[in-house]
Amino acid sequence: MKLQRSAKFALAITASAALAVSLLTPAQAATRSTVILHETNAITGLNCSLSATNSTTCSAVSYLQGMGFNYYNNKKELVKNTVFGSYKIVKNTKTDFRTSWTVNPGRVWSDGTPITGEDLLLSHVLQSDAYSIAAGLGDPKSKTAKPAFNGLGYSGVYADNIVGEPTLSADKMTVTLRFKKPIANWDLYGPGPASVHALVLMAEGKKALGTVAENEAARDRFVAAFNAKDSVLLKKIGKVWSEDFTITTVDKTTNPLLLVSNGGFILDSAVAKTSVTLKKNPKYNSGPAMSGSIDTVVFKFIGDGTAAAQALANGELDVYAGQATADGVAALKKISAVNVVGVEQVAYEHWDLHYDTVVDEAPYTGLFSVKDGAKSLALRQAFLLGIPRDEIMEKLIAPINGVTTPLSSTWVSPGSALYSKVIAANGSSFLTRGTQASRNLTALNLVKKYYPNALKSPVKVRVLVPGNNPRRASEFALAKANMAKIGFDLVGDVRTDWPSLLGNSNYDAYFFAWVASSVTQRQSAEVFDTNGGNNILGYSNPAVDGIIATLDTPLSEAILGAKYIAIERLTNADAITTGVFVHPGVVAVNKDLKNVKPGPLSPQMVWNFWEWTY
Amino acid sequence: MARTSKKSTESTEVLSGENAISNREVEGLSQGQIVRRRFFRHRAAVISLVTIISIVIFVFSALDFRLFGVWRIHGWWKWTTEDLPELRVGDCPGGTVGCPTISLRPQFLGGAGIGLGTHPFGQDDIGHDFFALVMKGAQRSLSVMVVIGFLGGTIGTIVGSISGFYRGKIDSILMRLVDFMITVPAVLIGSVIGYHYGNLGAIFLAFYLGLFAWTGLSRLVRGEFLTLREREFVDAARVAGASNRRIIFKHILPNAVGIIIVSVTLLLSGAILLETALSYLGFGVVPPDVSLGLLISQYQDSFTTRPWLFWYPGFFIISIALSINFIGDGLRDAFDPRQRRRISKKERQESATARKLAQADE
Amino acid sequence: MFAFIMRRLGVLGVILMGSSFILYNLAAYSGDPLADLKTSTDPNRDFLMISLSRELQLDVPPPARYFLWLKGVLGLFVGHANFGMTREGATVGADLAQAIPVTLRLVLASTILAIVMGIGIGVVTALRQYSRFDYSMTFVSFLMFSLPIFWVAVLLKQYLAISFNNFLREPNVPLKGLFLLALASGIFWASVIGGTRKTFWTVFGTATLIAGGMVAIMDAMNWFLHPGLGPIIVGGLSVGIAYGVTQLSVGITNKAALRASLTVSAATLLVYYPANWVFDNHQGALGVFAIFSILITVGVFAGISFSKIDRGPIIRTAVLTAFLSSIIIVVDKFMQTWQPYMETDAINYRPVPTIGQRSDLLDTQDFWVSNLDLVMHLFLPTVALTLISFAGYIRYSRGTLLEVLNQDYIRTARAKGLTERTVIMRHAFRNTMIPLTTIMVVDFAGVIGGALITERVFGWSGMGTLFYRGILSFDLNLLMGVFFVTSTLSVLANLVADLLYSALDPRIRVGSGA
């Protein structure tokens, strides 16, 4: 051994040059099979339905580990996962609306246990307030006591409309849900599979995977408890579900029952707050077949965007995803081994004008108060006309993703077929007609009608400016400069705590972004409904309320479009809001990695992991 | 300086060569004069002093200035930070926008000729003149630095001297106060204030940072005082009937001033960096206000694409911090009562001649 | 003394209690944890708000909530402290336990390096005040001190990681690069050493030639792909260390010490191959420890057998030589690991990472490869932190030493006829260390909570990240947990500094008047 080493050493010294040539030939690994993804925020647990762990990163990680009946693709369409199962409406009357969900036979969990309709029942426990109370698991809305399953699913559309318990078909593969009325987007309110047998085993203190027979027996115990509303076992399961999944370190000592899944990948290891590594699930058959060559996926958590971009340049990442800045995108484009893909986010920047007093706030008597009638309407119109939307697009957004047309609907997002129909008829042309100069002129005339001296002593408008955001600071500066031309003096109040100040009567105008996590028929209804949860303008229009009330039943796209147009015509006539831009995001992908098509809705980047390949 | 071989009654003192020179230098001068002389002999410090004064004048006279919010003094620079001139598009390298118009290459070398142009430092995303922004940022950063340095330095020195000199109960109480201050993170205070009172501006930020920045200095000064108060010259002063105040200010403080100056200059240049760090994290100066720290943290992405947005504010930070440190260095040397400068060969020879002459006289 | 310490500790407890109360309430009023949900359009937003309020006990007013927290923390005294849960459902205790070692790993090396380098350079600049070295070092250190860390990080990553890794793909130093490197080295050494104009140019020429030659040879040998020192260079370095250490500690004229150190060097050379065999075949910290112990034992025995009088310093010299030589052997082993490390799939010839604490994909049982991976991930953050923090130490040690050198006892020592080395190392340097020690202690406590930005830009998640997360998400328990650790450490460090100060400087009386 010793001799060998010294011989090697001598060789290295004497024949280093010759050796060098042979060693120099690049030792590229034959084919890469690993994808390293960048995420800004670390996962905080494996169960994303807890308030403690809910995050887009968690959704992405768990999407790789679990497939259900449908998923969002990169065009914000809900795609049916026909490999896993099928679903349909089985009864549709005014008072009885039923959907059935069938798991295809032969689907298995990663531990080999077949997936059946029984695995869909836990969803009901997690979403129905009534069941939770009836089974003695606690009232989810209680301000003091936590429910046994301390999740985020309660008190939603499902809980409000569900009637009784889901019924299981004779072959145990189909579950039927009954709602008290037809509900819009019913396909979003279906059940999802959960490996209840693993939960039961953990609740019973097991630390290792069971055999298929044991697992099926465990599942039967759950079904029995579910039907009997046996709070003893359910509470134990609830404890496991609520508490045991909040781990961020996964290694060989982790209970393998926690990792049972039906997705394309299984969690292999995780380093707290640093990274998560997933390996291919050999038993995966619950979704589209893996056509690519990826067998390992690593999520790396890097909070700092510049640091992540440099890591990408250094080959430490294969996919970078982040909030975009013009310089950031330009820098990414300079990296030769990388493709830069622009991606739209689901945040819609818009300007809102105060309309009337918001519930629980001091009376609003400012410039735009509807109580001033025609005067305030004219001022609101002038203000909206004065927002330099084209300039904002050109200077702040186009350098990032090239989009130069401002957003003209607050209900439909650009890119869809509906969008062009809606904006053609929703009255937004008032704000897009002509050039900014001509709009300024119109606006100035409107202002001068009530404030003849506006150019000399401009009208003060109090604006809430979200703090700590350079882009919004620029947006405000541009708006302020242009508004000066039409007789408005924008007085900005820069606040980091701006979300809590929305609706405050001390402001006449706000600008920020609404964030949507799903695409539903109701869309922005909460903003414009008189009693809407997001109504921060004090806006109230019985006609609008009337149309919004009809959005709860399933509608065809044509009818839906017509309703949106009707609503927007009304809101635009009242001149209370205008969209500006869709927040741009950026994704940069290693050139060798194919088929990465990031989407705006969760699970964003990873929705088509099965297609990824080198 | 007349350095004739005058017959001196002190010629006996002149005997030890090097001492002779330094003693002769300080003959008949007040403490202030000695310090000033020594300081002006420190070349780097003098250059730095000139630099920093020029920067201050340059920066503060550039933009419009409101005196007590009433009188508006016009700056010499044509843009303000509010102006939104047309963005320079099209003729910039690499398809960027708003590149600097400053040109240092004369026409005969194929350049655009030496000149500033409309926007010497370029423009930001929406067209703000970047030179104006840098000037405003430098004003803010300088003010932040001065406020933090002044507050931190003064409070630290006073608390440290009192507690080191008097010891006992006063010391205990003051040092527990220091312990208390050390435990409270300034970042948190910053975010609380920022949250509740919105954007109060850079000076306010500096003010509360200054109120938290003195603890280290006070401990140093206290330590120094604890050592110095046991020294012979303090006993001597006390025997001579000097008051406590006199002992503190005339006897001990000048001996401790070296360490104070060093820490205050580190504190000053640290203040700029602290402000930068806080701005980077979003707890410091927030837009639309500007500071140098905010500018470079905002444009750190621009490093490879629009480098001017990254380098110009960086250049100002570095020049200011460097100058401050060198001035501190010069001050430290000047204040040290025992410090002697290097004695050049020429002076040594002169001193030798003087000694010979003195001996010949006897 | 004991009573004094106990009393101080008691007071510290009260202070911590008071400041934590204030902090808790400040933090509680600093933001609205529900703010995020206010811009959400989720249909069950109201439920989410109720649920979150319940989790965070928002219905309990903060001053009262503080005492709930305090009750948990005071459990410390009965053996089970409860710092509460984070908003993310983990216990704060677990998060802290995970974060502290990470932070320590991140800052320990750089703090030690900064102290050693800072004090070293500070001492030399003080001894040669106003020399070219003094000026250039002052300039460089001030320059580094003026740079924001995230800025330094961006530059370091660009040049030391990305460009260097690209270079490694085809590691041929271009002629221009070679020339520039040589020139830079020439200028550096000339300004460091140079005295008169003649020596300046001599040093410049020599350094330029040596550096150029070395880089050329390294390039020709493909040293960058498989570096290593080999027994000859290890031996040579060890002899150099022996001379250097001896010169600094007891003076080169002390033949006994020199012989003892040189014996250690010889032993280093002898032990080189066995050591490498041990490293390869008995991997783990134990092997490394064994090599260190063997050499140090040799050092002790050599010291004893060569010295007749004045044993202590000579043994110390030999042991220090042994310690440094062992480090050289380990460094050499790491260099040899370089190539296998680069060949792993996870690294694939891009060995300098810009981010993270370790390579996620590195699948190896090899002690050296996995440790080299850790070292490589520490490389950039350590360089960055050291660069920006050693300026302070240079300034303090330079200032203090200058002051000490003007003291009467130094003059006395010189007058006694002691050599300059003895005066500096024994009299001046030791007195310089007194105030520096106290600064160091406080600094050490400070770094535990202090490397926030460094952690962020290098993608580490230690205490700084916890603190940041605590503030951003209004996670009171987490914030208070971090606060508890950092503030306790900092007040304790101050107490230790006080005690040290009085222990080191007998003129300071501690607690006498308090």
Side-chain angles (χ1 to χ4, degrees):
Chain A
M1 187 68 205
K2 201 168 150 187
L3 199 76
Q4 228 178 5
R5 279 194 52 80
S6 49
K8 206 170 149 193
F9 188 79
L11 191 74
I13 288 205
T14 50
S16 58
L19 205 62
V21 176
S22 62
L23 280 170
L24 252 177
T25 41
Q28 287 288 341
T31 354
R32 230 176 114 83
S33 58
T34 306
V35 176
I36 307 179
L37 297 164
H38 158 230
E39 288 284 353
T40 308
N41 301 307
I43 58 159
T44 54
L46 308 180
N47 178 356
C48 311
S49 309
L50 304 173
S51 72
T53 53
N54 184 31
S55 70
T56 48
T57 313
C58 184
S59 315
V61 173
S62 68
Y63 180 77
L64 289 181
Q65 299 179 74
M67 293 299 290
F69 285 100
N70 47 38
Y71 53 86
Y72 277 117
N73 69 6
N74 56 339
K75 300 190 180 73
K76 292 195 283 190
E77 296 155 347
L78 197 64
V79 181
K80 285 189 178 186
N81 176 10
T82 50
V83 182
F84 180 73
S86 55
Y87 52 93
K88 55 180 190 288
I89 300 173
V90 286
K91 191 165 185 189
N92 188 358
T93 70
K94 279 249 156 84
T95 53
D96 189 354
F97 181 74
R98 295 185 197 190
T99 57
S100 81
W101 305 76
T102 308
V103 179
N104 290 343
R107 307 304 104 192
V108 290
W109 294 105
S110 58
D111 61 0
T113 314
I115 303 175
T116 69
E118 297 160 310
D119 289 319
L120 303 178
L121 295 175
L122 188 70
S123 280
H124 181 69
V125 182
L126 299 177
Q127 294 188 78
S128 167
D129 294 37
Y131 185 89
S132 184
I133 295 167
L137 303 176
D139 178 3
K141 276 186 179 154
S142 157
K143 289 199 171 175
T144 46
K146 299 174 187 176
F149 290 86
N150 191 15
L152 298 172
Y154 294 112
S155 304
V157 175
Y158 183 94
D160 292 346
N161 296 297
I162 192 80
V163 177
E165 268 82 66
T167 49
L168 204 59
S169 67
D171 65 353
K172 295 188 174 170
M173 295 308 265
T174 301
V175 159
T176 306
L177 306 176
R178 181 180 168 187
F179 297 98
K180 64 183 177 198
K181 61 168 201 256
I183 51 172
N185 306 104
W186 58 274
D187 43 4
L188 287 178
Y189 305 109
S195 52
V196 285
H197 62 276
L199 289 170
V200 171
L201 291 177
M202 281 188 282
E204 291 165 355
K206 298 280 193 317
K207 295 255 181 288
L209 297 179
T211 63
V212 172
E214 282 167 6
N215 291 340
E216 287 183 330
R219 178 157 63 200
D220 291 343
R221 289 199 288 283
F222 165 76
V223 176
F226 175 83
N227 289 332
K229 300 200 173 76
D230 166 17
S231 65
V232 179
L233 181 62
L234 287 177
K235 269 187 178 166
K236 274 194 207 160
I237 296 175
K239 193 168 155 48
V240 170
W241 188 86
S242 310
E243 291 171 15
D244 288 12
F245 287 91
T246 57
I247 53 170
T248 49
T249 304
V250 174
D251 52 27
K252 304 229 153 39
T253 63
T254 308
N255 189 345
L257 289 168
L258 285 169
L259 309 178
V260 174
S261 71
N262 72 335
F265 290 85
I266 322 173
L267 221 147
D268 180 65
S269 63
V271 183
K273 292 167 194 91
T274 309
S275 66
V276 169
T277 306
L278 300 116
K279 291 259 156 78
K280 203 169 173 172
N281 173 5
K283 296 205 169 82
Y284 164 71
N285 64 359
S286 295
M290 299 278 268
S291 56
S293 61
I294 309 302
D295 59 24
T296 307
V297 174
V298 180
F299 287 87
K300 245 186 157 126
F301 310 127
I302 304 170
D304 185 74
T306 313
Q310 285 192 308
L312 179 75
N314 197 28
E316 289 169 81
L317 290 176
D318 293 306
V319 181
Y320 161 94
Q323 288 272 342
T325 62
D327 290 308
V329 172
L332 286 172
K333 282 186 178 152
K334 281 194 170 181
I335 306 172
S336 55
V338 154
N339 283 329
V340 180
V341 190
V343 58
E344 294 192 335
Q345 296 183 329
V346 277
Y348 306 101
E349 188 83 358
H350 60 97
W351 283 70
D352 284 343
L353 306 182
H354 218 136
Y355 186 78
D356 203 350
T357 309
V358 177
V359 190
D360 295 338
E361 296 284 350
Y364 175 70
T365 53
L367 198 61
F368 296 139
S369 170
V370 69
K371 303 218 165 64
D372 292 348
K375 175 188 163 195
S376 74
L377 178 65
L379 291 177
R380 284 200 301 272
Q381 284 173 335
F383 191 92
L384 292 185
L385 283 168
I387 299 169
R389 299 196 306 160
D390 293 332
E391 195 184 4
I392 291 172
M393 294 307 290
E394 177 203 334
K395 287 188 174 158
L396 300 179
I397 306 304
I400 299 169
N401 62 5
V403 176
T404 52
T405 335
L407 182 66
S408 285
S409 167
T410 42
W411 285 76
V412 187
S413 56
S416 60
L418 197 55
Y419 179 74
S420 42
K421 265 187 232 155
V422 169
I423 62 162
N426 69 355
S428 62
S429 56
F430 177 63
L431 296 177
T432 50
R433 207 180 296 136
T435 62
Q436 189 61 48
S438 71
R439 289 194 288 270
N440 281 353
L441 201 64
T442 322
L444 185 60
N445 289 332
L446 283 167
V447 176
K448 274 194 168 164
K449 214 182 314 168
Y450 300 94
Y451 296 93
N453 258 339
L455 279 185
K456 286 209 187 76
S457 55
V459 187
K460 288 209 178 335
V461 183
R462 301 160 301 170
V463 184
L464 178 65
V465 182
N468 254 340
N469 186 322
R471 184 190 290 151
R472 290 203 173 119
S474 300
E475 192 183 341
F476 180 71
L478 288 174
K480 189 177 164 73
N482 193 57
M483 291 290 183
K485 297 178 190 157
I486 60 167
F488 283 124
D489 178 20
L490 263 51
V491 184
D493 185 17
V494 185
R495 299 290 297 243
T496 30
D497 60 337
W498 59 273
S500 5
L501 294 170
L502 294 173
N504 190 307
S505 296
N506 288 330
Y507 304 101
D508 301 312
Y510 310 94
F511 66 103
F512 63 100
W514 290 118
V515 181
S517 57
S518 56
V519 180
T520 66
Q521 290 188 175
R522 279 181 71 84
Q523 293 285 37
S524 314
E526 299 295 322
V527 181
F528 299 102
D529 190 26
T530 304
N531 298 315
N534 298 120
N535 188 340
I536 53 138
L537 305 176
Y539 184 66
S540 175
N541 185 336
V544 172
D545 291 353
I547 307 173
I548 286 174
T550 64
L551 291 177
D552 288 343
T553 44
L555 301 167
S556 72
E557 195 181 281
I559 297 175
L560 200 58
K563 286 187 189 269
Y564 289 162
I565 291 172
I567 295 173
E568 289 213 71
R569 287 187 76 88
L570 291 163
T571 55
N572 280 332
D574 285 330
I576 49 163
T577 187
T578 180
V580 184
F581 57 85
V582 183
H583 279 225
V586 65
V587 170
V589 188
N590 177 346
K591 270 205 171 109
D592 299 331
L593 181 61
K594 308 282 180 331
N595 296 337
V596 177
K597 302 170 188 161
L601 286 169
S602 175
Q604 297 179 340
M605 196 111 59
V606 295
W607 70 271
N608 66 338
F609 63 85
W610 52 84
E611 292 176 348
W612 292 0
T613 189
Y614 275 104
Chain B
M1 210 194 294
R3 234 186 245 148
T4 50
S5 57
K6 61 169 179 175
K7 228 191 284 179
S8 165
T9 48
E10 296 133 359
S11 56
T12 42
E13 280 178 26
V14 180
L15 282 176
S16 57
E18 296 188 4
N19 267 346
I21 296 167
S22 40
N23 283 350
R24 183 149 35 83
E25 268 171 14
V26 298
E27 256 171 17
L29 296 178
S30 72
Q31 172 80 10
Q33 283 168 315
I34 298 171
V35 168
R36 211 173 306 134
R37 273 195 174 194
R38 287 206 185 122
F39 180 80
F40 282 116
R41 215 173 279 135
H42 195 295
R43 204 181 306 154
V46 174
I47 296 174
S48 301
L49 188 68
V50 173
T51 315
I52 199 103
I53 292 175
S54 332
I55 289 181
V56 168
I57 295 174
F58 183 76
V59 155
F60 277 90
S61 63
L63 303 176
D64 289 4
F65 195 77
R66 270 180 196 281
L67 209 56
F68 309 115
V70 188
W71 295 308
R72 189 187 166 111
I73 301 171
H74 280 284
W76 54 266
W77 185 238
K78 51 193 157 193
W79 305 108
T80 69
T81 52
E82 308 267 290
D83 295 336
L84 270 179
E86 201 59 34
L87 191 61
R88 181 175 177 193
V89 191
D91 57 346
C92 290
T96 55
V97 292
C99 51
T101 55
I102 194 168
S103 164
L104 296 175
R105 187 189 286 187
Q107 261 157 358
F108 59 85
L109 285 175
I114 295 175
L116 287 178
T118 350
H119 301 291
F121 286 5
Q123 290 169 288
D124 76 354
D125 289 335
I126 58 174
H128 285 131
D129 180 54
F130 202 61
F131 183 82
L133 284 176
V134 171
M135 290 300 112
K136 181 85 168 281
Q139 288 180 8
R140 287 278 182 276
S141 296
L142 282 167
S143 322
V144 166
M145 195 179 77
V146 169
V147 173
I148 295 183
F150 179 77
L151 276 180
T154 323
I155 304 179
T157 310
I158 292 176
V159 171
S161 330
I162 292 178
S163 102
F165 184 79
Y166 289 102
R167 301 193 310 198
K169 276 235 159 53
I170 298 179
D171 180 29
S172 300
I173 293 172
L174 286 178
M175 284 301 112
R176 296 304 78 75
L177 176 69
V178 169
D179 285 342
F180 179 80
M181 300 295 278
I182 286 175
T183 57
V184 183
V187 171
L188 189 67
I189 308 293
S191 70
V192 174
I193 294 173
Y195 181 81
H196 274 286
Y197 303 101
N199 183 23
L200 291 181
I203 302 304
F204 193 81
L205 175 84
F207 202 78
Y208 76 74
L209 288 179
L211 290 180
F212 283 85
W214 54 271
T215 50
L217 179 68
S218 75
R219 290 185 56 86
L220 272 177
V221 173
R222 170 177 173 271
E224 202 66 12
F225 264 66
L226 284 177
T227 329
L228 290 171
R229 78 185 299 281
E230 308 286 335
R231 293 268 282 276
E232 302 77 4
F233 64 87
V234 175
D235 291 340
R238 193 167 286 136
V239 168
S243 67
N244 279 343
R245 175 200 280 243
R246 189 175 168 78
I247 293 177
I248 292 181
F249 286 106
K250 291 280 168 180
H251 295 274
I252 304 186
L253 208 54
N255 278 283
V257 90
I259 202 144
I260 294 179
I261 297 275
V262 173
S263 345
V264 170
T265 48
L266 286 178
L267 188 67
L268 282 174
S269 44
I272 281 202
L273 294 178
L274 179 64
E275 184 268 309
T276 308
L278 287 179
S279 301
Y280 172 79
L281 294 173
F283 302 132
V285 175
V286 290
D289 207 353
V290 282
S291 73
L292 292 180
L294 183 68
L295 286 178
I296 53 167
S297 52
Q298 209 170 316
Y299 292 112
Q300 58 160 337
D301 276 349
S302 318
F303 166 61
T304 50
T305 51
R306 294 186 289 174
W308 55 91
L309 296 178
F310 179 75
W311 288 110
Y312 286 117
F315 169 76
F316 271 86
I317 287 193
I318 292 173
S319 337
I320 293 171
L322 262 180
S323 310
I324 293 291
N325 277 310
F326 273 111
I327 293 173
D329 208 35
L331 280 176
R332 198 208 68 81
D333 290 356
F335 268 107
D336 188 347
R338 293 157 178 275
Q339 179 71 41
R340 275 164 319 217
R341 68 191 178 92
R342 221 163 34 154
I343 289 159
S344 69
K345 260 186 202 154
K346 196 177 147 208
E347 281 169 327
R348 219 175 286 250
Q349 277 165 359
E350 276 177 12
S351 144
T353 354
R355 196 162 32 195
K356 268 181 210 150
L357 285 170
Q359 281 163 350
D361 273 355
E362 275 172 17
Chain C
M1 194 62 176
F2 181 72
F4 166 75
I5 295 177
M6 289 325 282
R7 201 167 55 222
R8 270 289 292 271
L9 285 177
V11 176
L12 287 187
V14 175
I15 287 179
L16 280 178
M17 205 95 91
S19 69
S20 64
F21 178 76
I22 293 177
L23 209 67
Y24 192 94
N25 287 292
L26 273 180
Y29 288 115
S30 78
D32 180 4
L34 300 176
D36 272 358
L37 286 173
K38 290 194 172 142
T39 53
S40 153
T41 55
D42 270 339
N44 62 344
R45 190 179 68 134
D46 290 343
F47 164 72
L48 297 182
M49 285 185 168
I50 292 176
S51 156
L52 192 58
S53 307
R54 187 176 61 212
E55 294 293 311
L56 304 178
Q57 297 174 298
L58 292 185
D59 293 337
V60 184
R65 231 186 303 152
Y66 168 77
F67 288 100
L68 294 177
W69 177 80
L70 188 66
K71 199 177 121 205
V73 172
L74 290 182
L76 198 67
F77 294 105
V78 291
H80 50 83
N82 175 14
F83 290 100
M85 305 286 275
T86 65
R87 272 181 74 167
E88 301 170 349
T91 60
V92 172
D95 267 17
L96 289 175
Q98 178 257 325
I100 292 175
V102 171
T103 298
L104 273 184
R105 192 141 52 90
L106 178 69
V107 296
L108 206 60
S110 63
T111 312
I112 293 173
L113 267 177
I115 289 175
V116 171
M117 280 171 56
I119 292 181
I121 296 176
V123 166
V124 179
T125 50
L127 292 179
R128 299 168 57 185
Q129 200 188 0
Y130 301 142
S131 63
R132 200 178 289 119
F133 178 73
D134 184 17
Y135 280 127
S136 47
M137 268 306 142
T138 306
F139 184 82
V140 169
S141 62
F142 283 161
L143 187 68
M144 294 302 171
F145 188 75
S146 332
L147 300 175
I149 178 100
F150 55 86
W151 213 73
V152 177
V154 167
L155 297 179
L156 284 181
K157 285 177 180 182
Q158 187 62 44
Y159 296 112
L160 284 188
I162 300 173
S163 304
F164 182 71
N165 284 337
N166 289 342
F167 160 78
L168 278 185
R169 213 179 291 152
E170 267 174 75
N172 291 315
V173 185
L175 213 59
K176 202 170 110 194
L178 184 85
F179 186 70
L180 284 178
L181 265 175
L183 209 65
S185 145
I187 292 173
F188 174 77
W189 287 109
S191 59
V192 165
I193 296 174
T196 64
R197 191 158 296 170
K198 193 180 152 203
T199 36
F200 179 88
W201 288 111
T202 325
V203 172
F204 176 78
T206 326
T208 309
L209 281 180
I210 292 181
M214 262 173 64
V215 175
I217 292 172
M218 278 156 74
D219 190 26
M221 283 175 61
N222 244 316
W223 198 83
F224 299 106
L225 282 186
H226 35 101
L229 297 175
I232 299 159
I233 300 178
V234 167
L237 282 174
S238 179
V239 171
I241 288 172
Y243 272 97
V245 168
T246 314
Q247 164 64 13
L248 279 181
S249 67
V250 292
I252 207 84
T253 45
N254 188 329
K255 289 293 170 231
L258 187 61
R259 278 186 203 127
S261 319
L262 285 176
T263 313
V264 172
S265 303
T268 307
L269 195 57
L270 274 180
V271 94
Y272 178 79
Y273 282 112
N276 274 293
W277 183 84
V278 170
F279 290 161
D280 284 338
N281 295 300
H282 298 280
Q283 291 195 341
L286 201 66
V288 179
F289 181 72
I291 299 304
F292 269 82
S293 341
I294 290 173
L295 279 179
I296 287 174
T297 317
V298 170
V300 172
F301 279 107
I304 291 174
S305 50
F306 280 106
S307 58
K308 296 187 187 68
I309 48 160
D310 211 8
R311 268 207 174 134
I314 293 176
I315 295 178
R316 226 182 300 144
T317 308
V319 166
L320 191 57
T321 310
F323 181 75
L324 293 176
S325 299
S326 321
I327 291 182
I328 299 278
I329 293 188
V330 173
V331 167
D332 174 68
K333 175 63 199 172
F334 271 123
M335 286 181 161
Q336 294 174 35
T337 318
W338 183 251
Q339 198 187 347
Y341 175 66
M342 292 220 295
E343 280 169 355
T344 55
D345 275 350
I347 305 307
N348 196 18
Y349 287 84
R350 295 193 74 83
V352 187
T354 62
I355 208 116
Q357 301 156 33
R358 65 182 187 85
S359 204
D360 295 300
L361 297 168
L362 192 65
D363 189 19
T364 178
Q365 298 302 313
D366 191 295
F367 174 81
W368 294 99
V369 172
S370 54
N371 275 300
L372 183 60
D373 185 55
L374 293 182
V375 171
M376 289 318 293
H377 280 87
L378 264 174
F379 174 60
L380 284 188
T382 303
V383 171
L385 275 177
T386 310
L387 278 184
I388 60 159
S389 58
F390 82 135
Y393 288 103
I394 294 187
R395 298 323 292 163
Y396 277 119
S397 53
R398 178 178 179 272
T400 322
L401 185 57
L402 280 177
E403 220 143 275
V404 169
L405 281 176
N406 280 318
Q407 300 290 341
D408 294 333
Y409 56 79
I410 297 295
R411 196 168 303 188
T412 315
R414 286 209 176 107
K416 277 197 293 188
L418 294 181
T419 61
E420 191 63 15
R421 192 195 54 72
T422 320
V423 172
I424 307 265
M425 294 305 290
R426 291 266 170 86
H427 294 78
F429 183 64
R430 288 189 188 176
N431 280 301
T432 309
M433 289 305 288
I434 296 174
L436 279 176
T437 318
T438 65
I439 295 175
M440 277 187 256
V441 171
V442 178
D443 269 11
F444 252 121
V447 293
I448 299 291
L452 207 170
I453 296 183
T454 317
E455 283 178 17
R456 196 170 152 74
V457 292
F458 288 106
W460 287 55
S461 57
M463 296 292 280
T465 313
L466 287 193
F467 182 71
Y468 190 60
R469 215 179 73 204
I471 288 191
L472 282 193
S473 59
F474 309 109
D475 196 335
L476 273 184
N477 285 339
L478 183 61
L479 194 62
M480 293 308 289
V482 176
F483 161 78
F484 183 80
V485 172
T486 53
S487 55
T488 309
L489 268 178
S490 62
V491 289
L492 281 182
N494 277 309
L495 174 59
V496 171
D498 280 354
L499 297 175
L500 260 181
Y501 207 84
S502 69
L504 291 173
D505 190 341
R507 287 169 304 187
I508 311 267
R509 286 168 287 174
V510 104
S512 52

